[in-house]
């Protein structure tokens, strides 16, 4: 996409008559080679795999495809994945907004520590994140015996999967909002306070509208990751088909069973979800760009 | 409303930004806080607004200490330097904001809000722009929206932070006059902050000149301009030529004149400050009597520029640069050009003790 945009700019650059050469334009050959290389790279690493997923998924016909995604285990996996996202995303939305609000609009001790902590899930391997929860809540873990005594199951069960997903997707909303809100500063909030708006009304009417596109963008990224998360969930779920398998895990199970058509069928659903995410993302970026003209320079 | 500021002190870390400020603002007054950046004027404004708190001192509104009163209960409106309009709201909603966010039992009905917003937009001469977004307005229009938005909450003290700072020169002067008229018709006690001495002197009833966290002088514009108490104020208010002189027994010797400086100034080296338009140029053969202080010797013209009715002459006198602003007629009569000589006379020199730097 980026390549396309650059290409457009290049062809649109010379004005109507005289072939003016812009100071930053390269000779034609260089342009072709560079653009070609970028396109080839895109084709090989993005378009081709994408095509493969769908051809493989439909290789044995539509019947097999439909059967693969409607069999009980697959449906259970889809359901679990959506449930996980439905719980994890709203929680992270609230956390992300609260954290970004606190970090950007107030001064307090331990602020940099909080920022570092928010980034932690980005820097830790997801597998380790999953293991941490096993160490905490597993039978041999810190809270394991107490939980077992009270009949609460976290590890190898849905709560564990949600916890692991929450952990992994924690930074997305906050990370998206912090730079945005930092750039906006606190002047709008001060103006609202001077007009005697309460803190809550200031947030609802002034802060939230000015971050809505960034917020939606963060939510979309967070959702994408919540649906696709493999490592952390894989460690903590226990791979119980029909019970604790999310879609990515289900794909792995099918693949390991040499059931390629079914594996790719479920994988194609994930790919579609990713595509939808991408489309929403692009639309949001476009809308946010449009929205800018109402903003003060 | 009458405002009394007593012993106000505030520091950011080790920097003292407000240094025992004492200030009285009269009912209905239009007061200018003038000072260079970092002099504490904006911080003082923010303390009055309730956005900042001092470490020490009191702020009284009509005799009542308001430092413990949260900002939403203070009868204060603040127009921010860059207006801080809400970019996602139309002009109408920006102006209505202060009314819309009132708790339900104190909020006027929708129709009344609409009527009041219409009246305010009329007042600031922005009828017909209610549906625009701030991004679609010019700087001057934005400033007036910000003002209308603040007036909507009917403040008894109006604070303006660099109200004309972000505007271009022509709009600035127009808005200045307009704002003064608006103030005179409404009578709200108003304090504005500026670093532009011309703006402060032109607009305010009284001007408080701030420097390094304290108020150097407070008075009417003519008091400040004609009788600046410190060399800082003299320097800050405009161009200044400086001539070394000596003070002895309460008298400063400048050229052929002995100027009484009062008992307060101690004997020793001093500096005579003179504005460029108070430097009078004379032909070298002109021996006519004058009330001005005539300097011995001659000055050499180094540069002449004539723009409009005034001419700007740069001279060198005893190795120092002297700037003079004279009329075109005088320039023609003196036949001055580069390299020519003339004599200097000083009108209204201000004597200040020499600063040890």
């Amino acid at each position: 996409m980026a390549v396309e945009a650059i290409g457009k700019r290049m062809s649109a650059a010379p004005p109507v008559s005289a072939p003016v050469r812009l100071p930053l334009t390269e000779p034609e050959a260089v342009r072709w080679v560079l653009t070609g290389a970028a396109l080839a790279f895109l084709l090989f690493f993005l378009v081709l795999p994408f095509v493969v997923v769908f051809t493989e998924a439909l290789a044995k016909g539509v019947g097999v495809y439909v059967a693969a995604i409607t069999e009980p285990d697959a449906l259970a996996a889809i359901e679990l994945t959506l449930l996980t996202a439905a719980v994890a995303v709203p929680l992270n939305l609230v956390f992300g907004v609260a954290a970004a609000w606190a970090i950007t609009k107030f001064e307090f001790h331990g602020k940099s520590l909080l920022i570092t902590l928010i980034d932690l899930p980005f820097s830790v391997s997801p597998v380790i994140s999953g293991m941490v929860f096993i160490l905490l809540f597993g039978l041999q873990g810190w809270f394991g015996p107490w939980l077992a005594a009270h009949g609460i199951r976290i590890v190898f069960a849905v709560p564990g999967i949600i916890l692991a997903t929450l952990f992994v997707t924690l930074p997305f909303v906050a990370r998206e909002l912090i730079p945005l809100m930092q750039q906006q500063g606190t002047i709008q909030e001060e103006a609202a306070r001077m007009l005697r708006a309460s803190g809550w009304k200031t947030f609802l009417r002034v802060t939230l509208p000015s971050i809505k596109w960034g917020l939606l963008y963060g939510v979309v990224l967070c959702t994408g990751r919540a649906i696709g998360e493999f490592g952390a969930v894989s460690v903590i779920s226990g791979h119980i088909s029909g019970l604790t398998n999310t879609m990515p895990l289900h794909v792995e199970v099918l693949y390991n069973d040499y059931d390629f058509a079914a594996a790719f069928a479920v994988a194609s659903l994930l790919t579609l979800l990713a595509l939808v995410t991408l489309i929403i993302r692009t639309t949001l970026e476009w809308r946010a760009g449009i929205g800018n003209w109402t903003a003060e320079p | 409303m009458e405002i009394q500021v007593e012993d106000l002190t505030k520091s950011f870390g080790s920097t003292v930004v407000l240094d025992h400020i004492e200030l009285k603002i009269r009912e209905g007054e239009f007061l200018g806080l003038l000072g260079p950046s970092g002099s504490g004027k904006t911080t003082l404004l923010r303390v009055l607004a309730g956005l900042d708190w001092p470490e020490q001192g009191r702020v009284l509104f009509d005799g009542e200490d308001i430092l413990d009163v949260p900002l939403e209960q203070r009868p204060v409106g603040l127009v921010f330097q860059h207006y801080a309009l809400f970019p996602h709201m139309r002009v109408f909603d920006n102006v209505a904001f202060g009314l819309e966010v009132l708790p339900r039992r104190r909020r006027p009905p929708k129709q009344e809000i609409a009527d009041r917003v219409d009246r305010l937009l009329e007042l600031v001469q922005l009828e017909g722009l209610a549906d625009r977004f701030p991004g679609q307005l010019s700087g001057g229009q934005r400033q007036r929206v910000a003002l209308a938005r603040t007036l909507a909450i009917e403040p008894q003290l109006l604070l303006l932070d660099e109200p004309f700072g972000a505007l271009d020169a022509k709009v600035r002067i127009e808005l200045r006059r307009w704002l003064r008229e608006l103030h005179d018709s409404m009578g709200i006690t108003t304090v504005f902050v500026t670093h532009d001495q011309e703006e402060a002197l032109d607009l305010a009833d009284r001007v408080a000149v701030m420097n390094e966290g304290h108020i150097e002088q407070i008075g009417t514009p003519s008091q400040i301009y004609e009788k600046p108490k410190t060399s800082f104020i003299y320097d800050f208010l405009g161009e200044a030529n400086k001539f070394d002189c000596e003070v002895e027994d309460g008298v400063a010797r400048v050229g052929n004149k002995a100027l009484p400086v009062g008992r307060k100034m101690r004997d020793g080296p001093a500096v005579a400050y003179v504005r460029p338009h108070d430097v009078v140029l004379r032909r070298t053969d002109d021996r006519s009597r004058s009330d001005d202080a005539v300097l011995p010797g001659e000055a050499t013209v180094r540069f002449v520029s004539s723009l409009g009715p005034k001419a700007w002459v740069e001279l060198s006198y005893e190795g120092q640069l002297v700037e003079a602003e004279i009329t075109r007629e005088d320039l023609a009569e003196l036949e001055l050009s580069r390299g020519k000589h003339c004599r200097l006379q000083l009108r209204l020199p201000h004597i200040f003790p020499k600063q040890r730097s």
Side-chain angles (χ1 to χ4, degrees), chain B residues 7-22:
Chain B
D7 194 30
L8 209 62
T9 301
K10 178 174 179 63
S11 43
F12 290 124
S14 59
T15 325
V16 179
V17 282
L18 296 179
D19 191 3
H20 304 282
I21 298 267
E22 303 276 345

Side-chain angles (χ1 to χ4, degrees), chain B residues 9-207:
Chain B
T9 301
K10 178 174 179 63
S11 43
F12 290 124
S14 59
T15 325
V16 179
V17 282
L18 296 179
D19 191 3
H20 304 282
I21 298 267
E22 303 276 345
L23 176 66
K24 194 170 171 178
I25 305 165
R26 297 173 193 147
E27 166 94 48
E29 183 172 44
F30 204 9
L31 181 92
L33 285 178
L34 174 66
S37 54
S39 58
K41 53 196 194 307
T42 295
T43 307
L44 178 55
L45 202 73
R46 288 174 63 88
V47 169
L48 293 178
L51 291 169
D52 256 322
W53 283 268
E55 277 114 42
Q56 187 187 318
R58 298 202 302 167
V59 176
L60 309 173
F61 285 4
D62 279 338
E64 209 176 309
D65 196 339
I66 51 92
L67 281 179
D68 290 332
V69 177
L71 79 172
E72 59 265 31
Q73 283 164 33
R74 296 186 191 189
V76 181
L78 170 61
V79 177
F80 288 81
Q81 186 173 5
H82 298 288
Y83 321 134
L85 296 177
F86 305 126
H88 58 279
M89 290 183 203
R90 293 173 195 279
V91 166
F92 181 94
D93 298 308
N94 263 286
V95 177
F97 187 86
L99 302 170
E100 299 273 7
V101 296
L102 285 172
R104 185 162 291 138
R105 65 202 146 71
R106 288 201 287 134
R107 194 188 314 154
K110 270 216 149 19
Q111 189 54 48
E112 197 191 317
I113 291 181
D115 290 344
R116 274 168 74 174
V117 172
D118 284 345
R119 254 179 287 142
L120 283 162
L121 287 178
E122 204 178 309
L123 182 73
V124 299
Q125 298 164 5
L126 288 176
E127 312 98 315
L129 295 183
D131 287 335
R132 300 274 187 93
F133 283 101
Q136 297 166 296
L137 301 178
S138 72
Q141 289 169 332
R142 279 182 212 174
Q143 206 239 19
R144 282 180 281 154
V145 174
L147 193 62
R149 182 176 75 171
T150 302
L151 292 177
I153 60 169
E154 296 177 348
Q156 288 174 270
L157 170 63
L158 181 62
L159 306 173
L160 309 165
D161 190 2
E162 296 277 1
F164 313 101
L167 303 173
D168 45 48
K170 194 164 171 289
V171 183
R172 197 181 297 189
I173 292 175
E174 264 171 44
L175 264 178
R176 213 146 86 184
R177 297 273 185 280
W178 174 81
L179 187 67
R180 180 70 228 201
E181 280 166 28
L182 190 73
H183 169 267
D184 292 346
S185 67
M186 306 212 313
I188 306 178
T189 310
T190 304
V191 178
F192 73 101
V193 153
T194 181
H195 64 270
D196 182 337
Q197 75 283 356
E198 192 193 316
E199 195 171 289
L201 297 177
D202 180 41
L203 198 56
D205 293 326
R206 286 195 308 154
V207 176

Side-chain angles (χ1 to χ4, degrees), chain B residues 225-241:
Chain B
Y225 192 80
E226 283 155 25
K227 296 194 176 89
K229 274 189 185 157
T230 63
S231 57
F232 167 81
I233 299 177
Y234 194 98
D235 241 350
F236 190 69
L237 291 185
E239 305 277 343
N241 292 300

